[in-house]
Amino acid sequence: MRSFEGYSPLDDLTIWQAARATSAAPTFFKQLVIGNHQFIDGGLGSNNPCRVLLKECQQIYRKKPGCTVSCIISIGSGMPKNIGISELNGIGFSWLRDVVKTLSGMATDCEAINEEVAAWFKATPNVYFRFNVEQGLQDVEMDRHEKLNVIIAKTEGYLDKDSQQEKLKQAAKVLAIEDRGLCLITDLGNVDRQTY
């Protein structure tokens, strides 16, 4: 699904369809079928879609050498809990279930992609901004709607920090500027060589 012309296989997509499609997380919500297209949440493969975004920008705009990246804002859902397979215990099905859960957590670890993308923009500060609550959300599972007050409190606490306030102000300034971005699309050549 795309909001720009000439790139979406669907015409006249409604907001509710886009929201429903992007939230179709397996085991929680059924896939959404629109015409011949099936949509599910991209969490397992692209929980942090920044790398996919940059590769797509490169594919679309590579023939326009003057195109630039002005600002990318990445919003996380909380830092993951650190756990390794060696820490797992149990036997039989219980152990296997824990291993699968750990491997799934590794596959959805957004911070590795965050670090990779941040490194690409290291020479051009104030282009890439990542906001992600550092502590307190590790044990809030996706289906725990009753813990919304915990999520709100931890997010507000994270954003109240001076360092995050400064980052928010800088991101807002960058978004308000109508000038060209600082990073040329053609400078993102290494994105094309990444595997995922």
Side-chain angles (χ1 to χ4, degrees), residues 28 101 137-145 147 151:
F28 291 103
K101 187 174 180 181
L137 298 181
Q138 289 90 341
D139 294 321
V140 179
E141 298 289 331
M142 193 165 74
D143 60 345
R144 291 289 174 233
H145 65 287
K147 292 194 174 186
I151 295 169

Side-chain angles (χ1 to χ4, degrees), residues 95-158:
W95 182 84
L96 181 61
R97 184 190 67 229
D98 289 346
V99 168
V100 169
K101 187 174 180 181
T102 299
L103 291 174
S104 175
M106 291 175 183
T108 58
D109 183 6
C110 302
E111 289 311 300
I113 292 174
N114 168 51
E115 290 173 16
E116 192 177 306
V117 174
W120 293 337
F121 292 104
K122 192 173 185 178
T124 49
N126 298 325
V127 172
Y128 176 69
F129 298 90
R130 171 83 169 160
F131 298 98
N132 196 17
V133 175
E134 293 146 358
Q135 292 296 320
L137 298 181
Q138 289 90 341
D139 294 321
V140 179
E141 298 289 331
M142 193 165 74
D143 60 345
R144 291 289 174 233
H145 65 287
E146 73 276 3
K147 292 194 174 186
L148 185 58
N149 59 337
V150 172
I151 295 169
I152 291 169
K154 295 296 181 183
T155 302
E156 287 175 347
Y158 167 78

